[in-house]
Amino acid sequence: MVLTLMLPLRAVYHLEDLITQYHIDCMCKITLATGTIVGYAYAMEFFIAWYGANPYEGFAFINRAFGHYAWAYWIMISCNVITPQFFWFKGVRNNTTMVWVLSIFVNVGMWFERFVIIVTSLARDFLPSSWGYYSPSIVEIFTFFGTFGVFSTLFLLFIRFLPVMPMAELKAVTPQADVHGRHDEHEPTVESGFPTSGFGDPVTNQDKH
């Protein structure tokens, strides 16, 4: 989500000097790490279901992967686990357009993770007589698209009335923030016959001892 919002904002407001390629590269590596962790968690869910020997828990996970909602499960796996693996390649991380597209796929995968957890658990309950196939109503569809509008409105209000970049961090990296003047600390300076330290204080023989 950070990449999905950050990259268009960087392009529209010309923040290339503040949000550099280094920041994008770091975010891609974080996405790669978290995607790999998520893949490990998915695998451990199946292992624990098998190791626990609980037939109901085992059925729940097998039904997710091979049941009526297998299409949603494998979309989740593809977007959350396989898609971040493209960030192993530096050429992909340096391609801003490709990074943004891959971040969209990761968002899709995270949405399907919620879908798989909720829908597959409720569609196959303990009573086979209550089994069914979920189909969203028109109200649910419009509510879903309405969430995009609400979030977009709040995000645009945020960047309109609040600083896009944190002022405290920007002040810390500006040249004027270097109060010790390290850019010329290697140049010899003499004041009143005494050489000065990097902090502008005269160095006397007592300081040397």
Side-chain angles (χ1 to χ4, degrees):
M1 180 61 74
V2 173
L3 288 171
T4 305
L5 298 176
M6 180 179 71
L7 295 179
L9 186 69
R10 176 178 183 261
V12 171
Y13 289 96
H14 304 288
L15 300 176
E16 290 82 2
D17 293 335
L18 299 176
I19 305 175
T20 64
Q21 185 60 43
Y22 172 76
H23 298 106
I24 299 174
D25 189 80
C26 290
M27 284 304 305
C28 291
K29 292 177 181 178
I30 292 174
T31 305
L32 171 62
T34 54
T36 305
I37 294 171
V38 167
Y40 172 78
Y42 291 158
M44 286 302 297
E45 286 178 341
F46 276 88
F47 173 76
I48 294 300
W50 168 80
Y51 188 75
N54 188 324
Y56 304 107
E57 184 179 7
F59 170 80
F61 286 100
I62 293 175
N63 181 61
R64 286 181 182 180
F66 305 105
H68 291 84
Y69 294 97
W71 57 273
Y73 180 83
W74 292 109
I75 289 177
M76 177 189 75
I77 293 294
S78 301
C79 294
N80 285 346
V81 181
I82 299 176
T83 297
Q85 304 307 315
F86 286 97
F87 291 137
W88 282 105
F89 307 100
K90 189 173 183 179
V92 175
R93 299 198 303 268
N94 290 336
N95 190 326
T96 305
T97 303
M98 188 173 294
V99 169
W100 188 76
V101 171
L102 292 176
S103 71
I104 293 292
F105 278 101
V106 173
N107 286 326
V108 171
M110 294 308 298
W111 185 89
F112 269 99
E113 179 177 327
R114 275 70 178 174
F115 181 88
V116 167
I117 291 173
I118 296 172
V119 175
T120 60
S121 301
L122 298 177
R124 293 292 185 270
D125 207 342
F126 287 97
L127 296 176
S129 60
S130 63
W131 288 6
Y133 192 84
Y134 169 74
S135 297
S137 65
I138 190 67
V139 175
E140 291 174 315
I141 293 174
F142 279 107
T143 302
F144 171 70
F145 284 109
T147 59
F148 286 93
V150 172
F151 180 83
S152 300
T153 301
L154 295 176
F155 178 70
L156 293 175
L157 289 174
F158 175 84
I159 64 177
R160 173 64 179 84
F161 294 105
L162 295 174
V164 177
M165 304 296 295
M167 294 290 100
E169 295 184 10
L170 290 180
K171 289 175 64 177
V173 298
T174 56
Q176 293 82 1
D178 192 359
V179 296
H180 301 308
R182 291 191 177 89
H183 57 279
D184 59 351
E185 66 179 347
H186 299 293
E187 298 179 1
T189 57
V190 177
E191 294 180 4
S192 303
F194 294 102
T196 60
S197 65
F199 297 96
D201 300 325
V203 178
T204 62
N205 291 330
Q206 293 179 354
D207 297 328
K208 295 180 181 179
H209 297 290

